[in-house]
Amino acid sequence: RAKSEGRGTYRFFEAKMGAQVRERRLLEHDLRHAVARGEMHLVYQPQTDVRNGSVTGFEVLLRWRHPERGAISPAVFIPIAEESGVILQIGEWVLREACREAATWTNPLTVAVNVSAVQIHAPHFVQLVHESLFRTGLKPERLEIEITETALIRDPSRAQSTLRQLKALGVRIAMDDFGTGYSSVSNLRAYPFDKIKIDGSFIRSVDANEQTAAIVRSMLGLGRGLGLPVLAEGVETDAELRFLAAEDCQAAQGYLMGRPAAIEQFARFTHGNQLKP
Ligand code: C2E
Ligand code: MG
Ligand code: MG
Ligand code: MG
């Protein structure tokens, strides 16, 4: 009896695996046509100066509205797009679209674009960035490329050379999700980062948990020591923001200051004055 039960469990497991693989293949297939079919769009989330609350720029976040399944989270589709290589085509669209949008703003705010490992290691990435800037007329210093540490480890020397070429264009580079990858500290020395983004998981409860507070304080100290500005991600409460202000954190981003939304929602910053959202 035990044996047949075991087999039943195994079959169930196998069936579930099969369903997951099929699901993944379907999404992968649909992803290939998502841009051309107009299913992708961008939302923008404000980044603010902690001292005065002014908006300094926006992070661009990709959204996919699947015709049958509705909104699918980037946490689900980005990894599939990366593994299948479709991220190259999608990422190219994101970069062009973001530069085109930012170039229309009367206020010269920055636009931060997420770039994944596959893109960083692709042969023509620097050329693509150059072309996007050139075609849209966006000043290079207004573009910030966000990269996680894990995106660099595939081929560190290649990644290093790519980042240096991007810097040479005048583009800025931010380390995303700081604290969640491997050997964070040595990466800050090995690559030419201009900014550190502390992962939102450290900001949660930073005002309530002494251990988390100590970690965030040391990250801010590291930024100060290296002369790199630090942005805190995922700021949701006043108490978190007060903590960051008291610890001299320069920049913040999170639901408290503004949820990611269509850029039209932020016209008062892109085209008006830049005061508090
Ligand atoms: P990320 O770059 O670290 O982006 C921050 C994520 O935190 C976003 O999730 C954002 O919506 C969310 N967030 C912002 N403020 C708060 C807050 O106060 N509380 C909480 N709980 N969350 C907050 P999202 O949009 O789902 O994106 C997830 C990840 O997908 C991004 O993490 C990024 O790694 C990736 N991604 C998004 N757009 C792109 C893209 O165009 N290209 C690439 N390669 N990756 C992208
Ligand atoms: Mg990011
Ligand atoms: Mg992040
Ligand atoms: Mg992330």
Side-chain angles (χ1 to χ4, degrees):
R1 194 173 159 238
K3 210 171 176 180
S4 73
E5 246 175 32
R7 204 150 43 207
T9 311
Y10 178 71
R11 283 215 190 94
F12 173 73
F13 181 67
E14 208 178 27
K16 209 175 144 193
M17 282 287 288
Q20 276 170 5
V21 170
R22 268 197 305 281
E23 159 86 359
R24 215 184 152 84
R25 264 195 227 121
L26 282 175
L27 286 182
E28 188 187 316
H29 173 268
D30 292 347
L31 267 173
R32 291 190 191 279
H33 308 285
V35 169
R37 291 179 180 162
E39 295 164 10
M40 294 281 181
H41 69 280
L42 301 178
V43 289
Y44 292 75
Q45 186 176 34
Q47 301 183 322
T48 61
D49 184 324
V50 170
R51 283 161 306 178
N52 57 20
S54 67
V55 173
T56 55
F58 293 90
E59 178 175 1
V60 175
L61 295 158
L62 184 58
R63 294 292 178 261
W64 184 19
R65 229 182 265 126
H66 191 280
E68 284 115 41
R69 295 155 194 239
I72 299 178
S73 163
V76 171
F77 74 79
I78 293 282
I80 299 175
E82 285 172 347
E83 275 170 42
S84 59
V86 195
I87 192 70
L88 289 178
Q89 176 214 330
I90 297 174
E92 197 171 319
W93 178 80
V94 171
L95 192 63
R96 292 224 167 97
E97 191 62 17
C99 291
R100 193 195 52 71
E101 171 56 41
T104 69
W105 304 341
T106 49
N107 286 331
L109 306 177
T110 60
V111 65
V113 177
N114 292 287
V115 166
S116 61
V118 184
Q119 292 173 274
I120 284 293
H121 292 93
H124 303 301
F125 183 67
V126 177
Q127 198 187 317
L128 170 69
V129 172
H130 177 75
E131 215 179 85
S132 304
L133 293 168
F134 185 76
R135 284 196 195 169
T136 59
L138 185 73
K139 290 218 170 73
E141 61 270 23
R142 289 184 55 204
L143 177 64
E144 195 166 272
I145 299 284
E146 294 195 2
I147 306 169
T148 62
E149 297 167 82
T150 29
L152 303 168
I153 56 182
R154 177 173 310 175
D155 185 346
S157 67
R158 190 190 177 107
Q160 225 161 23
S161 127
T162 301
L163 297 200
R164 264 196 235 107
Q165 291 176 65
L166 289 172
K167 292 273 289 193
L169 289 180
V171 168
R172 281 189 288 200
I173 301 161
M175 180 187 273
D176 204 354
D177 301 351
F178 183 64
T180 62
Y182 309 96
S183 64
S184 327
V185 179
S186 71
N187 283 337
L188 285 174
R189 199 174 55 172
Y191 301 93
F193 287 103
D194 299 289
K195 186 195 261 185
I196 298 171
K197 294 188 77 177
I198 301 180
D199 191 70
S201 58
F202 294 100
I203 305 307
R204 200 100 329 106
S205 80
V206 76
D207 54 304
N209 182 319
E210 199 36 59
Q211 210 171 15
T212 310
I215 292 171
V216 170
R217 255 184 225 111
S218 70
M219 288 174 167
L220 291 167
L222 195 58
R224 257 192 301 280
L226 294 169
L228 297 178
V230 178
L231 177 146
E233 290 192 278
V235 179
E236 293 184 358
T237 68
D238 276 314
E240 289 163 2
L241 188 61
R242 274 198 303 275
F243 173 92
L244 295 165
E247 299 295 334
D248 285 327
C249 177
Q250 290 89 346
Q253 181 181 344
Y255 295 165
L256 180 68
M257 281 75 62
R259 288 188 177 252
I263 194 64
E264 290 75 26
Q265 302 286 315
F266 300 113
R268 62 195 185 284
F269 308 116
T270 54
H271 292 90
N273 75 59
Q274 279 140 260
L275 282 185
K276 231 184 179 79

